[in-house]
Amino acid sequence: MGVKSFPLTKMRLEELAKQYPAPFYVYDEAAIRANAKKLLKAFSIFPSYREHFAVKALPNPFILKILAEEGLGADCSSYSELALADMAGIKGEAVMFTANQTPASEYQAARKLGAVINLDDITHIEYLEKHAGIPELCSCRYNPGPLKGGNLIIGKPEEAKYGFTREQILEGFGLLRAKGAGRFALHAMVASNELNLDYHLETGRILFELAVEIQDKTGVSLEFVNLGGGVGIPYKGEQEAIDWDELAQGLKKLYDSILVPAGLGGLGIHTEYGRPITGPYGWLVSRAIHTKSIYREYIGLDSCMADLMRPALYGAYHHITVAGKENAPLTETYDVVGSLCENNDKFAVQRRLPKIDVGDFVIIHDSGAHGRAMGFNYNGKLRCGELLLRPDGSVIQIRRAETVEDYFATLDITALDTFK
Ligand SMILES: *Cc1c(COP(=O)(O)O)cnc(C)c1O
């Protein structure tokens, strides 16, 4: 059970806010590095291991560069994400390109970067061949369908749009080989924000057994299995984080009992974790700018769901603390809300919190993944910037806040002048 902490004092925030007015995101570089090291150490028990950080979780090239320095690769799903990985110096097979209804131009970009292409459907083999050519190394994404239980965010695998069926995957590898591929990998991603260790071990077991079946039935010997992402983080203080060592050791047991006897003891393990890599080490810092008392008590922030959508989108819980009031008694019950014209623009509903005054810094925890990344401009909202707390205690800006000029950048205003 974890106590939620924030690495900057109220005084430091006041100082920072003079240069970078709230709201902003803050990421803790030292904590991100320490976590990446811990992950790699835990998984070093496999003959080979690679983590491809899911770029969609925190698509900032400064963060990607930090992770690359620690030895992590990238998992991309769009042209822009490939460009971000490239910017951070992540290239070649350190990049996994997980396709899904992907246009030809993006397959071509992935090929150009030398990324491992992870196919989402059997029909995409021909599509890839036609538009970008079949690479030497090909990965296929498996959807276990009714073999695997459901998960809250992704739902039941048999209702999910992703991946090949079991029959298709056996046929797919044969097809790829016939078309000239010589190296193969198997992928699955069947959960999101799942904190149950057994769920992830079960995914490992299904994939390991399938790797054996693929070898037996098609003669294709896989180079690696990619277990995808989906490892959750304890958004609530009383939840337990998944321990990297426990996860790696649990998977190793299955590896030793399923793969090794089948002669697949050299199989590499890959993952594409996003949320557990950066999620706990990012915070959205806002100021309380209004208090409102009607049928409920409200705290109005200078940020809104355009900056952090998870609570509105999934009813997700994010822990909230108030700078300088970390130990104050929780005497109030508030809805903590933003300024968007949608009633679900609430960071917290009926939350017990200390008394909040206008001007207080309100810290929204565990926002380092799928936070700023999911931001949008609905209602003309401008997304906030991102700051990085360096290991030496200094703070730098790694993305500025949007301006109204950014919002209008896609409009041709001069054409408007002559438009009648
Ligand atoms: C979103 C996603 C991930 C990362 O998921 P997390 O829950 O952030 O770990 C990995 N792989 C694929 C294909 C994804 O779509």
Side-chain angles (χ1 to χ4, degrees), residues 270-332:
H270 289 214
T271 55
E272 6 177 271
Y273 300 134
R275 190 187 315 271
I277 304 297
T278 56
Y281 316 111
W283 298 263
L284 172 58
V285 177
S286 311
R287 265 199 213 262
I289 54 171
H290 297 287
T291 62
K292 177 179 170 102
S293 182
I294 48 171
Y295 308 104
R296 286 182 177 184
E297 301 301 311
Y298 291 91
I299 297 297
L301 302 186
D302 55 7
S303 59
C304 69
M305 65 183 278
D307 297 299
L308 175 66
M309 186 161 52
R310 298 191 69 259
L313 186 61
Y314 315 117
Y317 178 96
H318 278 261
H319 195 67
I320 290 179
T321 56
V322 184
K325 296 182 178 175
E326 290 81 3
N327 301 313
L330 310 180
T331 53
E332 315 297 315

Side-chain angles (χ1 to χ4, degrees), residues 113-185:
L113 202 59
V116 180
I117 291 179
N118 184 28
L119 290 159
D120 187 64
D121 190 71
I122 191 152
T123 64
H124 298 178
I125 295 173
E126 227 166 87
Y127 187 85
L128 176 66
E129 182 183 38
K130 183 165 167 218
H131 295 284
I134 300 288
E136 165 76 1
L137 172 58
C138 285
S139 173
C140 294
R141 179 173 186 164
Y142 175 50
N143 181 332
L147 272 185
K148 181 87 185 156
N151 159 272
L152 195 64
I153 294 183
I154 291 203
K156 290 184 190 157
E158 72 257 46
E159 292 170 9
K161 67 173 180 170
Y162 308 108
F164 294 55
T165 66
R166 199 173 190 84
E167 294 71 29
Q168 286 172 343
I169 216 141
L170 294 167
E171 190 188 333
F173 282 116
L175 201 57
L176 283 166
R177 187 176 46 194
K179 291 185 183 296
R183 296 162 60 208
F184 305 93

Side-chain angles (χ1 to χ4, degrees), residues 82-224:
L82 286 167
L84 280 167
D86 192 24
M87 245 182 249
I90 308 174
K91 298 175 203 297
E93 291 177 14
V95 180
M96 192 92 190
F97 183 73
T98 294
N100 123 64
Q101 313 310 334
T102 296
S105 60
E106 295 190 358
Y107 278 123
Q108 287 154 6
R111 288 279 275 138
K112 210 168 153 196
L113 202 59
V116 180
I117 291 179
N118 184 28
L119 290 159
D120 187 64
D121 190 71
I122 191 152
T123 64
H124 298 178
I125 295 173
E126 227 166 87
Y127 187 85
L128 176 66
E129 182 183 38
K130 183 165 167 218
H131 295 284
I134 300 288
E136 165 76 1
L137 172 58
C138 285
S139 173
C140 294
R141 179 173 186 164
Y142 175 50
N143 181 332
L147 272 185
K148 181 87 185 156
N151 159 272
L152 195 64
I153 294 183
I154 291 203
K156 290 184 190 157
E158 72 257 46
E159 292 170 9
K161 67 173 180 170
Y162 308 108
F164 294 55
T165 66
R166 199 173 190 84
E167 294 71 29
Q168 286 172 343
I169 216 141
L170 294 167
E171 190 188 333
F173 282 116
L175 201 57
L176 283 166
R177 187 176 46 194
K179 291 185 183 296
R183 296 162 60 208
F184 305 93
L186 177 66
H187 169 278
M189 160 96 191
V190 289
S192 185
N193 193 28
E194 182 60 63
L195 277 170
N196 181 352
L197 179 69
D198 291 336
Y199 192 94
H200 298 289
L201 298 181
E202 169 76 3
T203 302
R205 189 183 60 74
I206 289 174
L207 285 179
F208 296 165
E209 286 173 354
L210 182 56
V212 175
E213 189 181 337
I214 289 167
Q215 177 179 255
D216 291 348
K217 292 200 174 146
T218 70
V220 162
S221 178
L222 298 176
E223 191 166 310
F224 66 84

